[in-house]
Amino acid sequence: MTSLSAKDKNTVRAFWAKASGKAEDIGTDALARMLIVYPQTKTYFSHWKDLSPGSAPVRKHGVTVMAGVADAVSKIDDLKGGLLNLSELHAFTLRIDPANFKILSHNILVVMAIMFPIDFTPEV
């Protein structure tokens, strides 16, 4: 895992301070995009009655995902230790394929770039 410099951490914190107010919308849109563009990810949510964009379960889990992002930002000085419980939950209890986190994180980045075109710089 590549460590972040102090400058990188400050950049992340500064961007998150701007983006966090839209966290619910970011999470909902990113999760909806993932489910549409990568339909194989729907298998993890087969217990949901409605997987359509903006549905209650998609919105609720989008909020949960972004709460995890907020938690990561708050623990940016020790991400590995700070997110260990969340990591173990998804790896061992839920058995989520790690490749899906790259897919979801890509969709989060896409949504952030769309919502914050001026602030979402290469440094972010």
Side-chain angles (χ1 to χ4, degrees):
M1 179 186 226
T2 305
S3 60
L4 298 172
S5 69
K7 181 181 176 188
D8 293 337
K9 291 175 186 180
N10 288 333
T11 301
V12 169
R13 287 182 188 114
F15 180 75
W16 183 246
K18 293 177 183 179
S20 61
K22 297 272 188 182
E24 182 176 335
D25 294 334
I26 294 168
T28 299
D29 193 10
L31 190 61
R33 286 170 179 274
M34 180 185 78
L35 294 170
I36 291 168
V37 178
Y38 301 91
Q40 71 274 20
T41 61
K42 290 179 180 181
T43 61
Y44 296 104
F45 306 102
S46 60
H47 57 284
W48 292 356
K49 291 182 181 183
D50 186 359
L51 293 170
S52 63
S55 69
V58 171
R59 183 164 285 286
K60 181 179 178 192
H61 197 64
V63 170
T64 302
V65 166
M66 295 311 289
V69 171
D71 192 32
V73 172
S74 73
K75 297 174 179 174
I76 199 164
D77 291 319
D78 181 23
L79 284 174
K80 193 173 183 180
L83 299 177
L84 182 62
N85 290 340
L86 190 60
S87 176
E88 288 181 347
L89 168 69
H90 284 81
F92 302 119
T93 304
L94 301 174
R95 299 194 179 275
I96 307 295
D97 181 344
N100 291 306
F101 294 100
K102 289 183 180 184
I103 292 170
L104 181 57
S105 65
H106 170 77
N107 282 283
I108 291 170
L109 293 175
V110 167
V111 173
M112 287 179 166
I114 291 168
M115 292 180 75
F116 301 94
I118 295 170
D119 298 310
F120 195 80
T121 63
E123 290 78 20
V124 170

